């Protein structure tokens, strides 16, 4: 059951890093090409990248730095194989808090960041207050996580878990 009145949830609207959010940046065709290529393979050398977008290496590096400074490129990461790391099971967890106050949301958000295997935590509208995406080894590992951590999250009234049977799509690439 959802909330009866919409609470003020300013604690939910936090920047994910200390960098200021990206302002509206005008992207030309070359910028878009750079972003597409870096999304596919961020380990590409600047020389190889510059060749693919028909720029000099120096001009390409300046553009990439500008895209970083603008906040469009937040970070460069390695994507790991979850199955190889014994984290192949995905569980989506819907959470309803017992109170809709800034303090209860802040306490839950802080605690959610410590849940083992929690990859994402989203504030949502509707029946649930949050959705967590958790990766774990298997159903038995999730059951242990549920018993030892999830049941003790602060302010939780209800938890509903959805074990993913088949991952149809998961991508880190934005359509540009």
């Amino acid at each position: 059951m959802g909330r009866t009145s919409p609470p003020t949830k300013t604690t939910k609207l936090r920047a994910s890093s200390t960098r200021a959010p990206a302002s509206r940046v005008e992207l030309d065709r070359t910028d878009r090409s750079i972003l597409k290529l870096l999304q596919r393979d961020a380990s590409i050398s600047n020389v190889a990248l510059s060749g693919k977008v028909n720029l000099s290496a120096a001009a390409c590096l300046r553009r990439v730095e500008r895209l970083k400074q603008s906040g469009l490129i937040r970070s460069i990461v390695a994507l790991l194989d979850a199955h190889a790391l014994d984290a192949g099971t995905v569980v989506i967890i819907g959470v309803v808090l017992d109170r809709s106050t800034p303090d209860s949301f802040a306490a839950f958000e802080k605690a959610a960041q410590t849940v083992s295997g929690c990859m994402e935590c989203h504030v949502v509208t509707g029946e649930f207050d949050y959705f967590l995406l958790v990766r774990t080894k298997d159903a038995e590992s999730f059951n242990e996580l549920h018993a030892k951590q999830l049941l003790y999250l602060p302010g939780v009234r209800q938890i509903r878990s959805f074990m993913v049977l088949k991952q149809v799509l998961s991508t880190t690439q934005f359509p540009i």
Side-chain angles (χ1 to χ4, degrees):
M1 188 190 277
R3 294 176 294 278
T4 56
S5 63
T8 304
K9 297 180 185 176
T10 55
T11 59
K12 296 180 184 183
L13 303 175
R14 277 187 216 132
S16 60
S17 68
T18 56
R19 177 178 284 158
S23 58
R24 190 77 175 150
V25 176
E26 292 298 319
L27 299 175
D28 63 16
R29 183 180 305 158
T30 303
D31 290 331
R32 291 179 186 284
S33 294
I34 289 170
L35 291 172
K36 285 178 185 177
L37 290 163
L38 288 175
Q39 282 190 108
R40 287 188 204 122
D41 182 8
S43 69
I44 188 172
S45 71
N46 183 59
V47 171
L49 180 62
S50 67
K52 289 181 183 258
V53 297
N54 298 317
L55 287 176
S56 70
C60 184
L61 186 58
R62 281 193 301 273
R63 282 194 185 233
V64 170
E65 288 304 315
R66 181 177 53 81
L67 292 167
K68 287 179 181 177
Q69 291 300 318
S70 74
L72 282 170
I73 298 175
R74 289 189 325 187
S75 63
I76 307 240
V77 300
L79 299 177
L80 307 180
D81 184 318
H83 292 281
L85 295 168
D86 281 338
T89 299
V90 177
V91 183
I92 299 168
I93 303 164
V95 176
V96 178
L97 298 184
D98 57 8
R99 291 176 295 151
S100 294
T101 66
D103 288 343
S104 64
F105 281 101
F108 177 82
E109 290 173 14
K110 183 177 180 183
Q113 294 177 38
T114 67
V115 172
S116 300
C118 187
M119 305 295 291
E120 298 180 24
C121 178
H122 301 276
V123 176
V124 297
T125 61
E127 181 180 343
F128 296 98
D129 293 310
Y130 291 91
F131 275 114
L132 306 177
L133 186 140
V134 174
R135 285 193 160 275
T136 187
K137 181 179 181 178
D138 52 26
E140 184 177 327
S141 297
F142 175 71
N143 192 37
E144 184 176 330
L145 175 75
H146 186 271
K148 291 183 177 177
Q149 291 185 40
L150 298 177
L151 291 177
Y152 298 101
L153 290 171
V156 173
R157 180 177 62 187
Q158 181 183 25
I159 295 175
R160 291 172 115 188
S161 304
F162 306 90
M163 192 149 307
V164 174
L165 300 176
K166 177 182 175 184
Q167 188 170 328
V168 176
L169 174 68
S170 177
T171 184
T172 61
Q173 296 183 28
F174 284 93
I176 297 175

